[in-house]
Amino acid sequence: MALRACGFIVFRRLVGCNPPPGTIEYLLLQTSYGEHHWTPPKGHVDPGEDDLTTALRETKEEAGLGAEHLQLIDGFVQELRYEVRGRPKEVLYWLAELRNPETAVTLSNEHQDYRWAPLEEACNLAGYRDLQQTLRAAHRHLEARQD
């Protein structure tokens, strides 16, 4: 049985002159354990909990951002499959916009830092190829919605 985790790729749109209007930044959290990797907020599904509820709970726990702060973006969900310490793991990510780009992030003790980053910087921080592909897919989805 694979471990299952769920989370959100959280983004915000910056307005104003500097950076240019419409700039999109993605939220990545740096773990306070292991290799201190960067990841969107996510966590394991609790018994009896549905996937989307898990994503909301974990995003609230890890970043202090609840359903009241987020707007779910229709039509995007991405599944990643990989191994962690020899065990299969599945991670589902939905895409959610931060309603107010000024909303503060509040980290749990599971993370030591966070960063809002444009796509390429976010991909560099993410490190893992499948997560980079997921971030790029999210960005393409947002661009397609603007057309």
Side-chain angles (χ1 to χ4, degrees), residues 23-36:
T23 298
I24 293 173
E25 291 182 331
Y26 297 92
L27 177 64
L28 292 177
L29 312 177
Q30 186 182 38
T31 60
S32 54
Y33 56 85
E35 299 173 4
H36 304 297

Side-chain angles (χ1 to χ4, degrees), residues 86-106:
R87 291 188 61 197
K89 184 170 184 175
E90 299 171 347
V91 181
L92 282 179
Y93 283 114
W94 284 268
L95 185 57
E97 182 170 8
L98 190 62
R99 293 178 192 271
N100 175 354
E102 301 300 316
T103 302
V105 172
T106 306

Side-chain angles (χ1 to χ4, degrees), residues 18 21 38 46 70 89-90 99 101 110 129 133 142 144:
N18 190 10
W38 293 85
D46 285 345
L70 302 171
K89 184 170 184 175
E90 299 171 347
R99 293 178 192 271
E110 293 180 48
R129 188 165 177 257
Q133 290 171 335
L142 293 173

Side-chain angles (χ1 to χ4, degrees), residues 25-88:
E25 291 182 331
Y26 297 92
L27 177 64
L28 292 177
L29 312 177
Q30 186 182 38
T31 60
S32 54
Y33 56 85
E35 299 173 4
H36 304 297
H37 63 283
W38 293 85
T39 180
K42 70 173 187 324
H44 294 120
V45 177
D46 285 345
E49 190 175 53
D50 70 66
D51 292 339
L52 195 54
T53 300
T54 298
L56 286 164
R57 177 182 54 76
E58 288 289 341
T59 302
K60 180 73 170 176
E61 289 174 6
E62 294 185 354
L65 302 174
E68 69 276 15
H69 300 116
L70 302 171
Q71 174 65 49
L72 187 66
I73 302 299
D74 289 338
F76 184 91
V77 63
Q78 196 88 356
E79 185 174 17
L80 282 67
R81 294 174 184 266
Y82 53 92
E83 282 196 5
V84 176
R85 293 187 282 287
R87 291 188 61 197

